[in-house]
Amino acid sequence: MKYSAPRGTVDILPDSCEKWEKLERILRTVASNYHVREMRTPIFEHTELFNRAVGDTSDVVTKEMYTFADRKGRLMTLRPEGTAGIARAYVENKMYALPEKLTKVFYMGPMFRYERPQNGRQRQFHQFGVEMLGVESPYVDVECMMMALTVVKALGLKNVTLHLNTLGDADSRDAYRAALQDHFRPVLGELCSDCQARFDKNPLRILDCKVDAHHPAMKSAPKTIDFLTDSAKAHFDKVCELLDMLEVDYVIDTNLVRGLDYYSHTVFEIISDDPKLGSGSTVGGGGRYNGLVEELGGPATPGVGFAFGMERLMIALEGADEEETAGIDAYVMPLGDEAKDVAMQIVAMLRANGFATDMDYASRGLKGQFKSADRFKAAYSIILGEEEVQGEFVQMKNNRTKEQTKVAFEDIVKTLEKGLGLE
């Protein structure tokens, strides 16, 4: 009898393993640069976790999960995605009680979905994902998107566009849900059975349907952006303002809803027209999920994240340059909203120059921020408040010698290079 790998799985042979290791090094380097630490969760979980977290109206739960009963009859599922397991572990291990309010982690490993195999998509596939939990701030949304874009840039992909939308908060979604039901009710009989099943439970999933994608009602459906509360609109406006400030090109795509039920507020995808992947290919995406941790039994905890299919990144890897970085070189400490805007620009500038950098997103005082700098073992603390912003300078503190120096914005990189012996 001859044996072969199950359909939708592939053997990764030694030559291919070397390429996988190269990809993993690049991803770990980017994670290190953004001060995001690795977290590992089980490959299988209780089925109920995905039913609750991912949503029992999603295609993943209804059509694609590999579920089995263990020897005691308990339903287990091979993980189809990474966020639910991270959120479960976050609650179970009481990570919300850690001294740092913002927890930034990444995961890397196999996932399982029963779907038609195709180039770059298998039934056993691999994901690289990032989750940032604990702070509800548009700054963290943008931090997440900037990291995703950095991954794409590190792999050498061309013709990349960030697509952006917002689903709003709970009140926004309730209003939008009612509007969608009013819109689709007259034509419900013309839609597929899946859409009809989603109509009462989660009408947003209708917009994600591939079968009815060209139905006229899809094109004329109401848009989420027209049903935002004032606070949800302010959140999304700030996200766009920060992206503009960082000179990131993006497209507001009002049809973008993402395929999983836990999303709220900002959602995004990275689309590439690089010939290596094909025109209009989705490389990866993610969004905010403020209710997920609470849904799984934890305290109300905001979160935002993204994921890439690593098989697709392998296709993109050809010709990419590697950069090796280690440790955190600087921790930027803003005091006030205006300083936070400038701090984000400084962080982007330092990362662009190869420095592992992080900043405070929780709007704390200096004492709390200095504790973070110590925990992160930052070589330098970069402090700026209203006076510094007006004068276009920062206070740079060498955390080893305790020497503090006033440094103009344009001299920050040079001063850091000299202090770290990189001249």
Side-chain angles (χ1 to χ4, degrees):
M1 180 178 179
K2 292 185 177 180
Y3 294 98
S4 60
R7 186 167 187 257
T9 68
V10 295
D11 298 311
I12 302 176
L13 302 179
D15 285 349
S16 295
C17 277
E18 292 179 3
K19 296 176 183 177
W20 276 87
E21 289 169 0
K22 178 179 179 181
L23 172 61
E24 290 166 5
R25 284 197 300 272
I26 293 172
L27 295 173
R28 290 180 185 280
T29 294
V30 174
S32 176
N33 227 13
Y34 277 76
H35 197 222
V36 177
R37 301 169 67 196
E38 185 174 10
M39 186 167 171
R40 302 183 185 188
T41 60
I43 287 178
F44 64 94
E45 301 266 7
H46 292 281
T47 301
E48 178 60 19
L49 172 68
F50 300 112
N51 289 343
R52 293 196 66 175
V54 177
D56 57 10
T57 62
S58 67
D59 283 350
V60 170
V61 169
T62 59
K63 300 178 181 180
E64 299 173 1
M65 294 203 312
Y66 279 93
T67 297
F68 60 94
D70 68 9
R71 292 190 177 187
K72 291 190 175 181
R74 294 167 296 203
L75 286 180
M76 300 290 173
T77 295
L78 299 177
R79 61 187 184 190
E81 57 92 53
T83 302
I86 295 290
R88 190 269 311 151
Y90 181 88
V91 174
E92 184 174 351
N93 294 281
K94 296 182 174 59
M95 294 177 68
Y96 47 80
L98 293 172
E100 281 302 315
K101 193 171 182 181
L102 180 63
T103 297
K104 300 195 295 185
V105 299
F106 77 89
Y107 59 86
M108 196 186 304
M111 309 288 166
F112 305 85
R113 294 187 191 180
Y114 189 89
E115 55 185 340
R116 185 172 63 85
Q118 53 187 288
N119 187 29
R121 180 175 294 175
Q122 301 293 334
R123 290 176 176 173
Q124 176 179 315
F125 61 101
H126 298 76
Q127 271 190 351
F128 169 78
V130 170
E131 314 294 348
M132 301 185 181
L133 297 135
V135 175
E136 182 174 6
S137 167
Y139 289 89
V140 184
D141 293 26
V142 174
E143 167 88 341
C144 202
M145 286 183 273
M146 292 298 290
M147 183 174 178
L149 289 168
T150 300
V151 168
V152 171
K153 182 180 178 182
L155 296 174
L157 272 177
K158 309 296 182 184
N159 304 322
V160 169
T161 307
L162 174 66
H163 284 235
L164 192 64
N165 194 20
T166 178
L167 304 179
D169 53 19
D171 290 339
S172 305
R173 285 181 66 126
D174 287 346
Y176 183 56
R177 173 193 174 100
L180 278 180
Q181 289 176 323
D182 290 343
H183 175 77
F184 284 113
R185 188 175 287 110
V187 298
L188 189 58
E190 302 172 15
L191 303 181
C192 72
S193 58
D194 286 339
C195 287
Q196 293 177 27
R198 293 163 176 163
F199 180 79
D200 289 318
K201 285 188 173 182
N202 193 347
L204 268 75
R205 293 280 64 76
I206 295 176
L207 299 175
D208 208 36
C209 180
K210 304 297 186 290
V211 176
D212 295 318
H214 299 294
H215 192 285
M218 292 292 192
K219 296 180 181 179
S220 59
K223 309 299 184 185
T224 59
I225 208 162
D226 295 326
F227 294 86
L228 300 178
T229 62
D230 290 343
S231 60
K233 185 177 185 304
H235 184 104
F236 188 61
D237 287 346
K238 186 63 179 180
V239 168
C240 295
E241 177 189 328
L242 291 170
L243 291 171
D244 290 336
M245 181 186 73
L246 295 171
E247 299 182 346
V248 174
D249 293 329
Y250 61 92
V251 173
I252 296 179
D253 182 352
T254 55
N255 293 319
L256 177 60
V257 294
R258 299 289 293 162
L260 307 180
D261 286 1
Y262 50 60
Y263 284 115
S264 62
H265 281 293
T266 310
V267 289
F268 65 92
E269 288 185 347
I270 297 176
I271 310 295
S272 173
D273 288 326
D274 193 299
K276 286 184 282 188
L277 292 177
S279 178
S281 294
T282 300
V283 185
R288 182 162 282 284
Y289 47 88
N290 287 351
L292 179 57
V293 171
E294 192 173 4
E295 175 72 17
L296 299 182
T301 304
V304 62
F306 68 86
F308 289 107
M310 292 177 67
E311 280 77 6
R312 293 192 68 73
L313 296 185
M314 284 291 292
I315 297 172
L317 180 60
E318 186 178 348
D321 295 325
E322 293 183 58
E323 293 182 10
E324 297 294 336
T325 58
I328 180 167
D329 300 312
Y331 187 67
V332 183
M333 301 162 58
L335 299 172
D337 289 339
E338 186 178 7
K340 192 182 282 188
D341 286 357
V342 177
M344 199 154 206
Q345 295 178 73
I346 291 173
V347 167
M349 174 186 69
L350 290 177
R351 286 172 175 162
N353 281 274
F355 296 103
T357 312
D358 209 342
M359 67 174 275
D360 178 74
Y361 295 95
S363 302
R364 297 170 300 169
L366 273 180
K367 184 176 180 181
Q369 295 191 53
F370 272 121
K371 286 182 178 179
S372 294
D374 289 340
R375 276 191 289 268
F376 299 157
K377 298 179 180 178
Y380 277 83
S381 294
I382 298 178
I383 308 153
L384 70 158
E386 183 178 345
E387 180 183 348
E388 285 80 7
V389 170
Q390 296 302 319
E392 297 188 348
F393 66 92
V394 297
Q395 303 289 344
M396 289 187 65
K397 181 179 179 181
N398 185 319
N399 290 326
R400 296 183 179 88
T401 67
K402 307 302 180 185
E403 180 182 2
Q404 185 165 308
T405 310
K406 178 178 175 180
V407 178
F409 284 173
E410 61 268 23
D411 295 327
I412 293 174
V413 169
K414 181 171 63 177
T415 302
L416 200 53
E417 287 176 341
K418 182 177 180 181
L420 296 176
L422 301 176
E423 287 185 314

